[in-house]
Amino acid sequence: MDEAHNNRTSLAKGAKDIAKEAKRHAAKNLSKAVDRASDEYSAHRSYNRFHNDDQEEDNYNNYVQQDGTYPNNADNDEDGASSDATEGHDDEDEIYEGEYQGVPAYNDGKVQDSQVALGKPVSDSAKSRKELENERQADEEELAQQYELIMQECGHGRFQWQLFFVLGLALMSDGVEVFVVGFVLPSAETDMCVPNSGAGWLGSIVYLGMMFGAFFWGGLSDKVGRKQCLLISMSVNGFFAFLSSFVQGYSTFLFCRMVSGFGIGGAVPIVFSYFAEVLAREKRGEHLSWLCMFWMIGGIYASAMAWAIIPHYGWSFSMGSAYQFHSWRVFVVVCALPCVSAVVALTFMPESPRFFLETGKHDEAWMVLKHIHDTNMRARGEPERVFTVNRIKVPRQLDELVEMQSESANPVLKVFCKIKAELRGIWLTFLRCFIHPVKDNTIKLATVWFTLSFGFYGLSVWFPDVIKHLQADDYASRVKIHNNERIEDFTFNFTLENQIHRNGAFINDRFISMKFKAVTFIDSSFFNCYFEDVSSVGSFFKNCSFVDSFFYNTDIDDTKLTNSRIINSSFHHNKTGCQMTFDNDYSAYWVYFVNFLGTLAVLPGNIVSALLMDKIGRLSMLGGSMVLSGISCFFLWFGTSESMMIFMLCLYNGLSISAWNSLDVVTAELYPTDRRGTGFGFCNAMCKLAAVLGNLIFGSLVGITKAIPILLASSVLVGGGLVGLRLPDTRANVLM
């Protein structure tokens, strides 16, 4: 009986062993079937999981060796065969469709370069750096193909549109920042009594801040992520933009605007890199072009707000004579609102899944991709659609040497070392933009960005200044000249405007609650005159004499008195600082309106470029737009009136916008993921450097000559367009 009991025990044990072996082989067969389905998915652009019983049995027969044993049987214990932690199971212990199984490293079943025939791994330390980089390059190419198919399965829908509007707010903030500089510049310099030697620094220093910001934030986004860097950079911009509206000193104001520009400099390279990484290839060109419209919307918003706010001198308050808050400061606060809105909205968006995969964060990438898929499917009314992706190729992660401090080190020293390591990483990534195969593309892209920006920003400064110069000439042509006049016992309580008084004599006259607007007194005398509540805008007293005169609450000071004599006269409660009277600026409304029209003229070009980007190609649009923009500059030679110059401004802006849109798309598509932010940031930094040079060069030529600005802008734009035609076509590319 004991023998029978032992036989039953042995039989039960043998049955359990057989069941375990069957379960192990079933798991292995399923794994091989999934690998085969993945291969078929890559080849046939589908992600259907095929589980044919006959194929599984063939795989099983091939797997079993002739002697009935299994390879590496010692390593294939029950725990190693499958993992409940990474596979979905139902009550019958069966794997079901679409359940998250983790994101294991993709393996096609073939012997990898890092393994020997017996399956034992070869240590990475035994390989050269070049071999490891070649393996990573191969992995990235395979991931790019697979990721394109995954994005097609996720579809284009609600998620992309949500991200579109969030990133659009960030791009809108960049457009606002560019226009704020031009609108605030004359007002801020007048309000803060900036001498001529300091005039113009505001425009240059903001562009310099944006230049360094583009390079820094673009490079950092390749290290720590698109969303995180964009959040920080936009927060920096918003905080210092608000702060700049309250500071009083010009140097402090310059510093705040420079740091604000440094923050917003990261918007363009990160926004386009971020959005391109959640778009399928057939949607990328069109929707990146639509995204460019937000830059135009930012320009329209800034122009409209400047037109509505700045000229209203009543929109201001003061706290004594020390603190003045004029209308242009209100305009600065209003222009910071899109940035604040972008920061709030961005907190609800996920990180780029492509960046997660590039840095080896498998599970995070899978969760984001599933979120994209489910969001789009629910919006389509298909919530039952299952996200079938369960394996994603992850590139080999190459270790980088990082200088670490001991646990007992000074916390400040740790932060310093961390910053040093990040800066070193940014620099090394930047250097990789100048090695094969992206070296030539980087040089060509930088050239096109520089030339397009130099012509665009240079003419953008030149156009309004030329219009103002024409207006000033027309205003001066209507000046009234009074010679040898004599006025006694008269009360002036009205505005004198655009007049010249020579050799005049004013005796016992009273100037009360009045304004001098562009009035010049030359070789005139004032005897026993009384001045009260007088403001003088653009008015001067040259070689004049004041005898027994009294000044109360006026802005007439030494800057208005040129070679004049003060005899037995006194000044009481003089107005301190520079007096701002925007309502007295005859050209303020007109300049803002001209900029508004010029920005609005971009709308047709934006629509055309978005609709034709994928049809006629990025390069054709880039080169053609730049060449046409250069040709349109020649017509400026015939601009002899304000209306003609405004028409040419609108034509030029409408033609050039297609070049900007296509250049954004090409730059995002030409760089691989691990260098996309850095390369885009470098190109955008070249753009801002060209803006600085364009401001300085074209601004110095206003009112001097037309030939140099027209020929310079035309030649630069045409040359850049020809270089752009030499770039590789990216229409059929997947994002590497």
Side-chain angles (χ1 to χ4, degrees), residues 231-245:
L231 267 176
I232 298 174
S233 65
M234 297 297 293
S235 299
V236 170
N237 170 251
F239 176 78
F240 281 94
F242 268 113
L243 185 62
S244 68
S245 66

mmCIF file of all heavy atoms in Angstrom, residues 231-245:
data_model
loop_
_atom_site.group_PDB
_atom_site.id
_atom_site.type_symbol
_atom_site.label_atom_id
_atom_site.label_comp_id
_atom_site.label_asym_id
_atom_site.label_seq_id
_atom_site.Cartn_x
_atom_site.Cartn_y
_atom_site.Cartn_z
ATOM 1 N N LEU A 231 8.275 75.259 -18.686
ATOM 2 C CA LEU A 231 7.630 75.818 -17.500
ATOM 3 C C LEU A 231 8.545 76.803 -16.782
ATOM 4 O O LEU A 231 8.135 77.910 -16.410
ATOM 5 C CB LEU A 231 7.227 74.692 -16.545
ATOM 6 C CG LEU A 231 5.813 74.133 -16.657
ATOM 7 C CD1 LEU A 231 5.633 72.955 -15.707
ATOM 8 C CD2 LEU A 231 4.775 75.202 -16.355
ATOM 9 N N ILE A 232 9.794 76.400 -16.584
ATOM 10 C CA ILE A 232 10.727 77.261 -15.853
ATOM 11 C C ILE A 232 11.016 78.531 -16.649
ATOM 12 O O ILE A 232 11.012 79.642 -16.099
ATOM 13 C CB ILE A 232 12.026 76.494 -15.545
ATOM 14 C CG1 ILE A 232 11.733 75.280 -14.659
ATOM 15 C CG2 ILE A 232 13.038 77.403 -14.870
ATOM 16 C CD1 ILE A 232 12.928 74.383 -14.432
ATOM 17 N N SER A 233 11.291 78.377 -17.938
ATOM 18 C CA SER A 233 11.644 79.549 -18.746
ATOM 19 C C SER A 233 10.479 80.530 -18.829
ATOM 20 O O SER A 233 10.674 81.750 -18.727
ATOM 21 C CB SER A 233 12.065 79.110 -20.148
ATOM 22 O OG SER A 233 10.990 78.518 -20.853
ATOM 23 N N MET A 234 9.252 80.035 -18.997
ATOM 24 C CA MET A 234 8.100 80.924 -19.061
ATOM 25 C C MET A 234 7.832 81.584 -17.717
ATOM 26 O O MET A 234 7.399 82.744 -17.658
ATOM 27 C CB MET A 234 6.862 80.146 -19.520
ATOM 28 C CG MET A 234 6.963 79.561 -20.916
ATOM 29 S SD MET A 234 7.137 80.800 -22.199
ATOM 30 C CE MET A 234 5.556 81.591 -22.111
ATOM 31 N N SER A 235 8.089 80.876 -16.634
ATOM 32 C CA SER A 235 7.921 81.469 -15.304
ATOM 33 C C SER A 235 8.913 82.600 -15.091
ATOM 34 O O SER A 235 8.563 83.649 -14.523
ATOM 35 C CB SER A 235 8.093 80.395 -14.226
ATOM 36 O OG SER A 235 7.128 79.369 -14.362
ATOM 37 N N VAL A 236 10.141 82.403 -15.525
ATOM 38 C CA VAL A 236 11.143 83.465 -15.425
ATOM 39 C C VAL A 236 10.699 84.683 -16.226
ATOM 40 O O VAL A 236 10.781 85.830 -15.754
ATOM 41 C CB VAL A 236 12.515 82.952 -15.920
ATOM 42 C CG1 VAL A 236 13.509 84.108 -16.068
ATOM 43 C CG2 VAL A 236 13.066 81.906 -14.965
ATOM 44 N N ASN A 237 10.209 84.452 -17.423
ATOM 45 C CA ASN A 237 9.746 85.558 -18.262
ATOM 46 C C ASN A 237 8.588 86.311 -17.614
ATOM 47 O O ASN A 237 8.594 87.550 -17.541
ATOM 48 C CB ASN A 237 9.332 85.020 -19.624
ATOM 49 C CG ASN A 237 8.625 86.057 -20.474
ATOM 50 O OD1 ASN A 237 7.414 85.974 -20.697
ATOM 51 N ND2 ASN A 237 9.350 87.052 -20.943
ATOM 52 N N GLY A 238 7.595 85.585 -17.137
ATOM 53 C CA GLY A 238 6.433 86.233 -16.550
ATOM 54 C C GLY A 238 6.767 87.025 -15.304
ATOM 55 O O GLY A 238 6.282 88.156 -15.127
ATOM 56 N N PHE A 239 7.609 86.466 -14.435
ATOM 57 C CA PHE A 239 7.946 87.156 -13.179
ATOM 58 C C PHE A 239 8.688 88.458 -13.445
ATOM 59 O O PHE A 239 8.325 89.516 -12.914
ATOM 60 C CB PHE A 239 8.792 86.232 -12.298
ATOM 61 C CG PHE A 239 9.274 86.887 -11.034
ATOM 62 C CD1 PHE A 239 8.426 87.052 -9.956
ATOM 63 C CD2 PHE A 239 10.578 87.347 -10.930
ATOM 64 C CE1 PHE A 239 8.861 87.668 -8.792
ATOM 65 C CE2 PHE A 239 11.036 87.956 -9.772
ATOM 66 C CZ PHE A 239 10.161 88.118 -8.696
ATOM 67 N N PHE A 240 9.708 88.405 -14.275
ATOM 68 C CA PHE A 240 10.516 89.604 -14.500
ATOM 69 C C PHE A 240 9.796 90.603 -15.419
ATOM 70 O O PHE A 240 10.090 91.801 -15.366
ATOM 71 C CB PHE A 240 11.876 89.230 -15.071
ATOM 72 C CG PHE A 240 12.830 88.731 -14.024
ATOM 73 C CD1 PHE A 240 12.953 87.378 -13.772
ATOM 74 C CD2 PHE A 240 13.580 89.610 -13.276
ATOM 75 C CE1 PHE A 240 13.815 86.908 -12.800
ATOM 76 C CE2 PHE A 240 14.448 89.161 -12.304
ATOM 77 C CZ PHE A 240 14.565 87.803 -12.054
ATOM 78 N N ALA A 241 8.865 90.137 -16.248
ATOM 79 C CA ALA A 241 8.069 91.071 -17.038
ATOM 80 C C ALA A 241 7.170 91.901 -16.127
ATOM 81 O O ALA A 241 7.056 93.133 -16.286
ATOM 82 C CB ALA A 241 7.237 90.317 -18.071
ATOM 83 N N PHE A 242 6.527 91.236 -15.149
ATOM 84 C CA PHE A 242 5.718 91.965 -14.182
ATOM 85 C C PHE A 242 6.582 92.916 -13.361
ATOM 86 O O PHE A 242 6.216 94.077 -13.131
ATOM 87 C CB PHE A 242 5.001 90.988 -13.251
ATOM 88 C CG PHE A 242 3.634 90.594 -13.726
ATOM 89 C CD1 PHE A 242 3.376 89.302 -14.127
ATOM 90 C CD2 PHE A 242 2.605 91.520 -13.766
ATOM 91 C CE1 PHE A 242 2.109 88.932 -14.567
ATOM 92 C CE2 PHE A 242 1.335 91.163 -14.205
ATOM 93 C CZ PHE A 242 1.095 89.875 -14.608
ATOM 94 N N LEU A 243 7.730 92.429 -12.919
ATOM 95 C CA LEU A 243 8.601 93.249 -12.087
ATOM 96 C C LEU A 243 9.083 94.487 -12.833
ATOM 97 O O LEU A 243 9.207 95.578 -12.253
ATOM 98 C CB LEU A 243 9.793 92.414 -11.605
ATOM 99 C CG LEU A 243 10.746 93.079 -10.612
ATOM 100 C CD1 LEU A 243 10.007 93.428 -9.321
ATOM 101 C CD2 LEU A 243 11.922 92.150 -10.317
ATOM 102 N N SER A 244 9.342 94.350 -14.127
ATOM 103 C CA SER A 244 9.866 95.483 -14.898
ATOM 104 C C SER A 244 8.875 96.626 -14.990
ATOM 105 O O SER A 244 9.267 97.777 -15.211
ATOM 106 C CB SER A 244 10.261 95.020 -16.305
ATOM 107 O OG SER A 244 9.112 94.661 -17.057
ATOM 108 N N SER A 245 7.593 96.339 -14.840
ATOM 109 C CA SER A 245 6.602 97.403 -14.951
ATOM 110 C C SER A 245 6.562 98.291 -13.710
ATOM 111 O O SER A 245 5.969 99.378 -13.756
ATOM 112 C CB SER A 245 5.211 96.805 -15.199
ATOM 113 O OG SER A 245 4.772 96.071 -14.071
#
